[in-house]
């Protein structure tokens, strides 16, 4: 009698990655922006908010304050009003302004392209820094762990952790570095379309045979 060896966690992760690439070949960052500063600002606004809502706010915001210098010198109350509908607007406006002031004064008005420097900016943690590095500069410095990536990586049995930093470390060990952002972007698509927070559609999921929590 022959017994079939079950795939290792790494093998499963790589197979999931290939299927996600096939399922969502054109997946990309869904925030609208024209410059690295605008991407940074949009990503700060996307905390606890949908990208769709952020994209409704940013045309007026970037129309009025298009770059780091104008955001750094903006009237704070006006800035708050422009970002109000994204939630936590006082904190977000304060962080956006403080980050833009630091970019203007310490980084020659250019968003830094190194993780260590990005993390010095107010309101910027690894998630935001990873998005900016990947989409503004094409640098895979880490794996972006948002609410979808966290939930799906847990359900797919690729991490047992709850803290984003530990989930990111687990995923970085399992996935090839050039695909770190590919993973996050496509997992976000899958989380929105199929593996939703309240009711995962396992019967329609192309990853079900690789997923230990599938109810298919
Ligand atoms: S099988 Fe179900 S739980 Fe697993 S990834 Fe698919 S939708 Fe999510």
């Amino acid at each position: 009698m022959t017994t079939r060896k079950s795939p290792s966690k790494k093998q499963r992760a790589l197979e999931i990655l290939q299927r996600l690439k096939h399922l969502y070949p054109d997946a990309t960052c869904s925030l609208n922006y024209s410059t690295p500063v605008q991407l940074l600002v949009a990503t700060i606004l996307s905390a606890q908010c949908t990208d769709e809502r952020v994209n409704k706010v940013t045309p007026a915001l970037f129309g009025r304050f298009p770059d780091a210098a104008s955001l750094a010198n903006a009237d704070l109350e006006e800035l708050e009003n422009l970002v109000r509908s994204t939630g936590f607007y006082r904190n977000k406006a304060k962080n956006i302004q403080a980050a833009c002031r630091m970019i203007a004064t310490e980084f020659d008005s250019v968003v830094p392209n190194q993780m260590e420097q990005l993390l010095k900016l107010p309101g910027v943690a690894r998630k935001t820094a990873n998005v900016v590095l990947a989409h503004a500069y094409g640098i895979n410095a880490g794996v972006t762990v948002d609410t979808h990536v966290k939930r799906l990586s847990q359900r797919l049995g690729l991490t047992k952790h709850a803290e984003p930093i530990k989930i990111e470390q687990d995923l970085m060990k399992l996935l090839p570095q050039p695909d770190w952002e590919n993973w996050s972007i496509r997992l976000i698509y899958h989380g929105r379309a199929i593996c939703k927070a309240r009711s995962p559609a396992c019967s329609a999921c192309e990853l079900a045979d690789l997923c230990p929590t599938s109810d298919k």
Side-chain angles (χ1 to χ4, degrees), residues 98-120:
C100 287
R101 282 183 179 161
M102 190 180 273
I103 289 167
T105 56
E106 293 187 29
F107 298 107
D108 287 335
S109 293
V110 177
V111 176
N113 63 359
Q114 288 176 27
M115 175 65 76
E116 208 174 294
Q117 293 177 329
L118 278 166
L119 293 178
K120 288 183 184 164

Side-chain angles (χ1 to χ4, degrees), residues 155-156 190 194-195 200-202 205 207-208 211 213-214:
R155 284 179 178 169
L156 286 162
H190 199 63
I194 303 286
C195 190
C202 299
C205 181
L207 308 178
C211 179
T213 61
S214 166

Side-chain angles (χ1 to χ4, degrees), residues 11-158:
Q11 286 169 329
R12 274 195 314 113
L14 294 177
E15 177 60 26
I16 291 166
L17 174 66
Q18 292 316 314
R19 288 197 200 173
L20 289 171
K21 283 184 181 178
H22 180 72
L23 282 169
Y24 309 105
D26 302 321
T28 186
C29 175
S30 46
L31 294 167
N32 296 335
Y33 62 95
S34 307
T35 64
V37 170
Q38 292 186 359
L39 174 59
L40 174 74
V41 170
T43 310
I44 290 174
L45 291 175
S46 72
Q48 314 287 324
C49 181
T50 63
D51 290 357
E52 204 183 346
R53 163 61 40 202
V54 173
N55 287 339
K56 286 189 176 144
V57 161
T58 46
L61 175 66
F62 297 149
R64 179 83 176 94
F65 303 116
D67 50 28
S70 56
L71 284 159
N73 294 313
D75 175 75
L76 188 57
E77 206 178 318
E78 186 181 358
L79 194 52
E80 286 176 355
N81 284 332
L82 282 164
V83 304
R84 183 182 289 262
S85 67
T86 66
F88 305 96
Y89 65 96
R90 287 210 169 93
N91 220 22
K92 287 180 181 177
K94 184 167 65 84
N95 283 334
I96 286 168
Q97 183 152 75
C100 287
R101 282 183 179 161
M102 190 180 273
I103 289 167
T105 56
E106 293 187 29
F107 298 107
D108 287 335
S109 293
V110 177
V111 176
N113 63 359
Q114 288 176 27
M115 175 65 76
E116 208 174 294
Q117 293 177 329
L118 278 166
L119 293 178
K120 288 183 184 164
L121 300 175
V124 175
R126 282 192 66 92
K127 187 189 89 162
T128 301
N130 278 329
V131 170
V132 170
L133 288 171
H135 296 284
Y137 297 121
I139 298 168
N140 275 291
V143 180
T144 302
V145 179
D146 77 341
T147 179
H148 296 289
V149 175
K150 174 181 174 180
R151 182 178 73 255
L152 270 72
S153 298
Q154 289 170 333
R155 284 179 178 169
L156 286 162
L158 301 177

